[in-house]
Each structure stands twice: as structure tokens, then as C-alpha cells.
């Protein structure tokens, strides 16, 4: 699959976030103005958030009104909650890649 360069950048950012922290998931989002945000999942006793949820929250708390794209790097498929967040913010489909950056259909 050939990706748009901006979508490839999201995969790269998500992979880097995941690798830097040793987390199970990395995600990156691009808002309607082109700003990007990357994050990893949070797995505390008192708080559990997916990487997509954290990245989306960062974008929204920074003033984004919608997202153009969402990328998830994980060994697992996106959760229903991740897909719902993306859809609510205007994204038609999540880009999903394995830890090696290979995009899964």
C-alpha cells in the first residue's frame, strides 16, 4: 500500500513514540490545520487510555476541532473505542501499522 507522505509521517511519529517509551501502542493524529500530535498508551492502576485516545485528547485540548488522519502502531487491531474516537472527530478510517511500520489493510 502506498501512503500519502503526510500519512507516512504519522506512522513514523507513532512508531517513534512507541519505541521511545517502550509502550504497547503508539499513535499520531493530524488536525484540520495540519498540526500533529503523537502519544503512547497509558496503563496505570488508576487510569487506562489507548494511544489514540491520548493523541486525540492532546489535539482537542490544544484547540483542534477535527482530525484529518489517525495512525496507530500496535501489534493489536484498533479497539472499537479508538475507531469511535476517530469517527467522532471526522476520520473515515484509522491507519494501522505493525511495530515495523508495515501498514495493515
Amino acid at each position: 500500500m502506498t501512503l500519502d507522505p503526510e500519512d507516512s509521517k504519522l506512522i513514523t511519529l507513532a512508531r517513534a513514540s512507541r519505541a521511545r517509551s517502550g509502550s504497547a501502542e503508539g499513535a499520531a493524529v493530524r488536525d484540520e490545520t495540519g498540526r500533529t500530535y503523537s502519544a503512547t498508551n497509558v496503563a496505570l492502576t488508576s487510569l487506562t487510555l489507548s494511544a489514540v485516545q491520548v493523541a486525540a485528547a492532546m489535539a482537542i485540548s490544544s484547540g483542534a476541532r477535527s482530525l484529518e488522519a489517525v495512525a496507530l502502531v500496535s501489534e493489536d487491531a484498533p479497539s472499537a473505542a479508538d475507531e469511535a474516537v476517530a469517527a467522532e472527530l471526522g476520520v473515515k478510517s484509522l491507519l494501522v501499522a505493525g511495530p515495523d511500520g508495515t501498514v495493515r489493510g
Side-chain angles (χ1 to χ4, degrees):
M1 169 188 272
T2 302
L3 290 179
D4 171 275
E6 291 299 313
D7 291 343
S8 291
K9 176 182 169 184
L10 290 181
I11 297 289
T12 299
L13 290 170
R15 286 183 71 209
S17 290
R18 182 181 180 270
R20 187 173 39 255
S21 68
S23 296
E25 297 178 342
V29 301
R30 183 175 59 248
D31 73 11
E32 76 279 4
T33 66
R35 292 177 297 188
T36 58
Y37 305 85
S38 61
T40 62
N41 60 300
V42 174
L44 302 173
T45 303
S46 60
L47 179 65
T48 302
L49 297 169
S50 73
V52 169
Q53 290 170 327
V54 175
M58 291 170 60
I60 297 303
S61 68
S62 295
R65 296 177 193 209
S66 64
L67 298 179
E68 292 181 348
V70 177
L72 171 65
V73 173
S74 176
E75 301 222 12
D76 300 321
S79 69
D82 288 343
E83 291 176 351
V85 167
E88 183 173 344
L89 294 171
V91 176
K92 294 187 182 8
S93 65
L94 261 91
L95 293 170
V96 181
D100 66 352
T102 302
V103 177
R104 298 191 300 253

